[in-house]
Amino acid sequence: MGCGASRAEAPAIPDAKASAAVNSAAAAERGGPAPAAAEAGATADVALAPPQEAAKPKDAIKVKAWVGNAGDGTLPFPELSDEDFEVPVLKDKCDTAVCISGGGFRASTLGLGWLRALNHLGLLSKVKYLCTCSGSAWLGAALCFARGTTTGTFLGHHFPPEMCDLDTLARVGDKGRSYGAAMADAEPLIDYVKAQLQEAVDGDDGSKRGVQETRAWTRAMAAAFLAPFGLGDTDASTTSMTGTKSGIHSTTAVRGAKVGRGQVHLANPQLPYLVIAQLYYPYEWTPLYSGCPVPYSSTQPRLGGGWVEAVGYNAVLAEKPAHPVAPGSALTVSVRPTGPASLGEAIGISSAYNSYKWAMGKTSKGRAAHKLLGFHTGDLFDMQEWDTNQMQLTDGGGSDYHAIYPALRRRVANIIVLSASKAPIEDYEKFTRDMRDIPGLFGCWPGNDRDTKGLAGPEFNKQRQVFAEGADGYKRLYQALLAKFQAGEAAVHADEYEVMANPAMGVPGGWRVRVLWVINEVQRKWEEALPADTRDKLHHDRTSFAAKVEEGLNPLDADTFQQFPLVSTFAFNYPPELVGLMAAHAAHMLTSNKALVEGMMPAPPPRQM
């Protein structure tokens, strides 16, 4: 439960015009709420939480906000240009983003291998952005904020296939220092279910314990993936970053202390700048700020049109701005925090897959279930009329499974897309249908006749297309991936595309981008080079009826190698050997394509003094 799933399972954002004048129940039948920026006069509903559930506001603090629309270039990106929040070291990095898809444990273990390979090649510190979603957000957050370890220790050592015997694969590192160890120990569903059982015993009478239990998903994810690195708090902390122009982290700590957010987790500026995709709509969380980069003026309620700094997230406005705020502006507003704004909350929201899969925000029964099952609500204010509404928050795979749109909004020239998919490449129709988001980028997803509630292909493509090459560009990509797979190699392909404007997703057009596609699939040659004991286990588990039965009887545990590397999204417990195997498999995809990867890292221009 709770993670970005395979593309056959992902929700979508309906076309705003098609969703005009619908209520929330009707929107649920169409697959989710709709961005309205692209269609004037359209209306659609955003999932609202019951107003009586709002927490009591705390004292007011002053925070910075930025107003605009990423799609037309008026929204500032504070880490690049703000007088206080700019991170100068980003100018010394390559104009490159690494985007890792969702996919639960599969995405997190594959992501570990991909980042390990980049570090092994000496390239990770050169990357400007690390964009994540759902399962990859667990990894990204732990990496960028980890305490008490080094990047190399956290990611682990790269081993060529000849050295990947079962004993080596099982040595995932030391607890509290290695992410592989955290993954091997992680059983977040157990913590989550315990919290739900405790809720059933105690009831939710509005007491502190009851309120805490209603956020059980966040607590389980934070305990599994952040607590091993000293980041486990979910209620009394916020985030910032060292290395900003004004040292903003020091004032964040002072203001946070006034409102119960005095513990400030600091991102490492030597690593890529982290972005986590959240919600049905385009919504970004970063160490310094969060928000919706597109002003959706026709949704009910309105949403977006800017950022608010991290310490001011999940808060009500104490007062509205006295005068209209022009796009492109920054201003100071007074807010009263009402709930958590922690790193744990960020990854919990981004990975709450079942919250959106079950369309919980769209009906009264769904909203009640959202709360009962321990998912998320938060107070968000739009930056158009500056109204605050409590909204139900959910998995980022609903709008950006591959976490690519943040890079496109920032016009990053080189993007490495790391897809933790589980769709077999050999079947074109199934691969295209199940991957959905990738053909959608080219405007050629054919739709899925089996999905009666989701969007039809034309509507989905209208919302998602950014590459002008269209179907021809997608077919060229597919054929290149298929050829690599059939040759027994990693499914990797590099290409260049013309970017189209996409107002609904906040992407400016009229420029070119290079993309390196890396798709999870079997690498026959790599497997043939594995030591005999690992090859034997792979063969046994893939062909053994007993292994198949074992996986079928307990789909929440990946106890064998039976599905490797296309492991189910719903498997939430990997043994150490599988953690090691997934990571080694992913690392080889990049190390075996070293020249292509290095070609995505052009030297930055000299910084002007």
Side-chain angles (χ1 to χ4, degrees):
M1 293 174 62
C3 307
S6 70
R7 293 299 75 217
E9 300 165 334
I13 307 173
D15 174 77
K17 187 175 182 180
S19 300
V22 298
N23 61 24
S24 58
E29 292 302 307
R30 297 194 54 79
E39 298 288 348
T43 61
D45 285 358
V46 177
L48 291 173
Q52 68 270 21
E53 296 173 9
K56 183 179 178 181
K58 299 178 173 66
D59 294 337
I61 56 172
K62 299 289 187 181
V63 298
K64 199 164 189 176
W66 299 264
V67 178
N69 184 343
D72 63 16
T74 58
L75 180 63
F77 294 100
E79 74 277 12
L80 298 179
S81 61
D82 186 82
E83 61 183 358
D84 297 314
F85 287 75
E86 181 182 324
V87 184
V89 72
L90 292 178
K91 290 183 169 63
D92 299 327
K93 295 180 180 288
C94 303
D95 193 18
T96 303
V98 169
C99 305
I100 310 179
S101 78
F105 269 51
R106 186 181 65 250
S108 212
T109 50
L110 291 170
L112 173 62
W114 286 321
L115 295 182
R116 176 186 296 171
L118 290 173
N119 194 55
H120 173 75
L121 295 173
L123 300 175
L124 182 59
S125 63
K126 298 180 180 181
V127 174
K128 184 176 289 186
Y129 287 102
L130 174 60
C131 304
T132 63
C133 173
S134 198
S136 66
W138 307 334
L139 167 66
L143 169 66
C144 292
F145 287 86
R147 303 172 178 177
T149 188
T150 64
T151 300
T153 300
F154 179 94
L155 295 173
H157 187 70
H158 169 64
F159 293 102
E162 297 81 5
M163 297 179 64
C164 292
D165 58 85
L166 293 177
D167 286 342
T168 298
L169 292 175
R171 292 197 290 270
V172 291
D174 297 331
K175 294 182 180 181
R177 303 187 68 207
S178 159
Y179 190 74
M183 286 298 303
D185 285 345
E187 294 181 324
L189 281 186
I190 293 178
D191 290 339
Y192 173 67
V193 170
K194 283 181 179 178
Q196 295 305 296
L197 293 175
Q198 188 67 54
E199 171 78 2
V201 172
D202 292 352
D204 185 3
D205 58 1
S207 66
K208 181 179 179 182
R209 177 61 175 270
V211 171
Q212 288 177 339
E213 296 306 330
T214 63
R215 293 177 48 252
W217 185 256
T218 277
R219 293 177 176 279
M221 298 304 111
F225 306 112
L226 299 181
F229 308 101
L231 307 167
D233 173 76
T234 59
D235 298 300
S237 61
T238 187
T239 64
S240 188
M241 189 173 195
T242 57
T244 59
K245 267 191 171 180
S246 67
I248 197 67
H249 63 284
S250 59
T251 67
T252 299
V254 173
R255 289 174 293 148
K258 290 181 59 178
V259 292
R261 298 175 176 179
Q263 184 179 10
V264 181
H265 296 312
L266 300 175
N268 181 354
Q270 301 307 314
L271 290 169
Y273 189 78
L274 178 67
V275 183
I276 297 177
Q278 298 178 335
L279 308 191
Y280 292 98
Y281 289 80
Y283 196 95
E284 297 183 12
W285 180 97
T286 84
L288 294 173
Y289 61 87
S290 64
C292 179
V294 180
Y296 297 121
S297 59
S298 299
T299 55
Q300 300 296 329
R302 284 174 296 272
L303 181 67
W307 318 116
V308 63
E309 67 170 294
V311 72
Y313 171 76
N314 200 356
V316 299
L317 279 171
E319 56 183 0
K320 296 184 179 183
H323 305 286
V325 182
S329 302
L331 71 159
T332 299
V333 295
S334 181
V335 301
R336 298 182 185 276
T338 55
S342 63
L343 183 63
E345 190 78 348
I347 68 165
I349 292 169
S350 183
S351 61
Y353 168 64
N354 278 336
S355 173
Y356 78 71
K357 174 63 177 174
W358 297 334
M360 288 181 175
K362 319 295 180 14
T363 66
S364 58
K365 290 182 179 179
R367 288 190 285 272
H370 182 104
K371 173 182 178 295
L372 182 65
L373 292 174
F375 295 122
H376 314 83
T377 60
D379 285 311
L380 305 180
F381 52 87
D382 72 87
M383 296 175 187
Q384 303 159 64
E385 298 298 325
W386 298 91
D387 294 322
T388 303
N389 287 280
Q390 189 175 95
M391 299 182 184
Q392 296 190 320
L393 310 174
T394 192
D395 191 299
S399 62
D400 193 3
Y401 175 79
H402 285 92
I404 190 175
Y405 291 101
L408 294 168
R409 292 181 194 116
R410 292 164 174 79
R411 298 174 67 108
V412 176
N414 305 276
I415 300 176
I416 301 175
V417 176
L418 304 170
S419 179
S421 68
K422 65 179 187 72
I425 287 178
E426 280 195 298
D427 185 334
Y428 174 81
E429 291 186 1
K430 182 176 182 359
F431 180 82
T432 301
R433 182 186 68 238
D434 291 358
M435 290 297 284
R436 189 162 75 161
D437 289 70
I438 291 181
L441 289 165
F442 294 89
C444 63
W445 182 61
N448 185 353
D449 294 338
R450 297 180 302 177
D451 184 358
T452 60
K453 294 184 178 181
L455 286 176
E459 293 179 271
F460 182 83
N461 293 328
K462 184 177 181 180
Q463 293 295 336
R464 301 300 178 91
Q465 184 176 5
V466 289
F467 297 145
E469 286 74 7
D472 289 342
Y474 174 71
K475 289 177 182 177
R476 185 169 70 240
L477 169 61
Y478 175 80
Q479 291 298 331
L481 296 173
L482 178 63
K484 287 290 193 74
F485 169 75
Q486 290 177 335
E489 300 172 359
V492 175
H493 177 65
D495 213 330
E496 185 172 319
Y497 306 105
E498 178 73 21
V499 179
M500 302 167 51
N502 184 321
M505 299 302 288
V507 175
W511 56 287
R512 297 190 69 81
V513 62
R514 291 195 303 165
V515 180
L516 179 64
W517 304 94
V518 181
I519 310 297
N520 179 43
E521 246 293 11
V522 170
Q523 302 174 84
R524 176 175 48 80
K525 291 181 179 178
W526 178 80
E527 292 187 7
E528 289 172 351
L530 293 169
D533 63 337
T534 307
R535 291 199 316 273
D536 290 346
K537 180 170 174 56
L538 262 175
H539 177 74
H540 173 270
D541 288 357
R542 284 170 169 170
T543 59
S544 165
F545 179 74
K548 187 174 182 179
V549 169
E550 184 175 0
E551 294 287 345
L553 290 175
N554 190 4
L556 300 181
D557 287 348
D559 293 322
T560 74
F561 293 174
Q562 198 261 334
Q563 297 179 346
F564 173 84
L566 309 180
V567 185
S568 168
T569 307
F570 296 98
F572 259 58
N573 182 11
Y574 283 19
E577 295 85 354
L578 183 57
V579 172
L581 187 67
M582 293 288 282
H585 157 82
H588 182 77
M589 299 178 81
L590 297 186
T591 58
S592 62
N593 287 276
K594 179 181 177 181
L596 282 178
V597 177
E598 290 179 336
M600 300 297 292
M601 305 282 178
R607 194 194 299 191
Q608 295 182 350
M609 304 302 292

